[in-house]
Each structure stands twice: as structure tokens, then as C-alpha cells.
Amino acid sequence: MTQTAPRPPIRFRGRSFMAMVLAPALPVADWLADLDALARRSPAFFSGRPVILDVSGLSLERDDLVGLVSDLGARDIAILGIEGAGPTFLGPGLPPPLSGGRPAGDIAEPEPGAAAPPPVEAPPAPVRSLILDNPVRSGQTILHLEGDITVMGSVASGSEVIAGGSIHVYGTLRGRAIAGAAGNPQARIYCRRFEPELIAIDGLYRTADDLGPGQRGQAVEVRLVADAIKVTSLD
């Protein structure tokens, strides 16, 4: 009999890219008309660009937001995420909620007929920490690939915290915590009460079913040891 070599563990990593942010203005129909005028002057302006939709300045009903995303899709503008809308306001049929983005300046409108520039990878940013004074609510995604994330409250079930460095949760961790997402095997996860749906470091992950009841409800440290996730009680 031939022995099958063990399959390597599945890894996933984050990577920072520059994204364009579209912030519609009321009335939306007039704003879409201005967008069409831009497209006529520069047909390839949105080609190949990741786009985030910022609706924080609008008061839209959910059906209006679904219609807006559909209108943009019909113009070949694919929305990767939405800022400024509550997680319960989104859900099926809409892109995921995003928060924690870092402004990178305005993007100049190209000359008429200019070709679209290729997607630009974000330059390395100085390592810095993101501190959240409020809990992370269900449906929220907190993404910060430039350093650690510290949550002074809890991380609710159905939410996600993704850090390039370590994650510190001073309450209960019930959602998904992904540390070292930019390729940092030294990253760690700390929490006061351990009840996660999923934990991951540098692309290696374990789900709640994989973890078992051993450290649930305890204060723990999560780190990588010999390319495997190790959970250690801190009490």
C-alpha cells in the first residue's frame, strides 16, 4: 500500500490594496447622471479599480441602497464593501460592511479618453495600533493590516476582526479573530473570555468545532507553535 503524504494546512492571508471610495450625494439620480457624464469622458476610469461605497452622508432605505448598488453594477462598477451603513441594514444581496479604512487622498479625474491605470498596491504604512473603545457588533468587519487591534469591549458572534499584527480583546471573543493577516507568524490573540467562532494566525485557522471545550470561557493566549495553533490559558 502506498502512504499518502499529509496535506499541508490551508492558509489564507490579507493584503492591502488602494481602493476608490464613492460617496453619493442627494439626489442620487443627479449624482448618477454626473457619474455617467464622467464615464462618457473617460470610459475606462473605473476599469480594474476596487470600489468602496460610502453612504454615511445619506439617509437611504434598504431598498434604495439595493437599487443604488444595482445601478452601479449596471455601469460595471463592482462594489466590494459598504461604509456608513449599520450591519443589520445590509445582509443578503448587498456587499459586506466595512470600517477602519485609512484615507489616502483624492483621486484625480483623468483626461478624456485616458486609459485606466493598473491597480496600485498600497505602499507600506508605518506600524500602528487601532484601539476600539466600543464593542464590535454582530455583522461588523474591522480590518487593520498595518498593526495590532485592541478592542476594549467584546467581539460579538457574527463579527470579524482582522489585524496585520496581534489582536487584544478585553471582553468576550465570540466572533472571528484573524491575526497576522498580512503574513506575520509572530502575531498573537489575547482575550479575557474565549468563545470564538474562528481564530486564525498567519493563514492557519481553527473553528469552534476544532477547538473543543478545553479553554472556553477562560482568558487565553493564542499563538503559533511549530506551524500549529496553540491555545493557552492565562489564569
Side-chain angles (χ1 to χ4, degrees):
M1 294 179 62
T2 58
Q3 186 174 3
T4 303
R7 296 180 62 84
I10 296 174
R11 286 183 178 269
F12 55 92
R13 290 192 174 96
R15 181 171 294 181
S16 251
F17 289 90
M18 298 287 284
M20 175 185 291
V21 177
L22 281 180
L26 295 175
V28 173
D30 292 348
W31 180 82
L32 287 172
D34 292 339
L35 200 65
D36 290 337
L38 169 62
R40 286 192 294 271
R41 294 193 302 270
S42 304
F45 183 56
F46 291 102
S47 177
R49 290 183 184 268
V51 178
I52 306 300
L53 184 63
D54 181 3
V55 296
S56 57
L58 305 179
S59 296
L60 296 177
E61 298 294 331
R62 190 180 189 280
D63 289 344
D64 296 331
L65 183 56
V66 171
L68 176 58
V69 171
S70 177
D71 288 340
L72 293 171
R75 291 164 170 82
D76 293 325
I77 301 174
I79 304 300
L80 301 184
I82 296 180
E83 281 189 310
T88 56
F89 190 76
L90 300 178
L94 285 171
L98 294 178
S99 61
R102 182 164 50 87
D106 293 336
I107 297 175
E109 182 180 334
E111 295 297 327
V120 179
E121 188 168 346
V127 176
R128 58 193 180 94
S129 295
L130 174 65
I131 300 176
L132 303 175
D133 292 323
N134 297 316
V136 180
R137 301 184 303 275
S138 179
Q140 274 189 299
T141 295
I142 307 298
L143 175 65
H144 179 67
L145 297 180
E146 292 80 27
D148 296 354
I149 295 178
T150 299
V151 183
M152 301 308 296
S154 296
V155 176
S157 176
S159 65
E160 190 171 51
V161 177
I162 306 172
S166 297
I167 296 174
H168 308 259
V169 180
Y170 284 85
T172 303
L173 171 59
R174 293 192 177 94
R176 298 179 293 277
I178 300 171
N184 180 4
Q186 304 303 318
R188 302 188 182 192
I189 299 171
Y190 299 91
C191 69
R192 182 166 290 177
R193 187 176 177 88
F194 188 63
E195 299 177 2
E197 297 171 348
L198 177 146
I199 54 173
I201 297 178
D202 189 35
L204 291 176
Y205 72 93
R206 293 176 69 182
T207 65
D209 293 338
D210 299 329
L211 292 167
Q215 283 87 18
R216 292 191 70 83
Q218 300 182 26
V220 305
E221 174 198 60
V222 182
R223 57 192 175 99
L224 288 185
V225 176
D227 215 28
I229 290 179
K230 181 178 181 181
V231 181
T232 305
S233 297
L234 294 177
D235 294 337

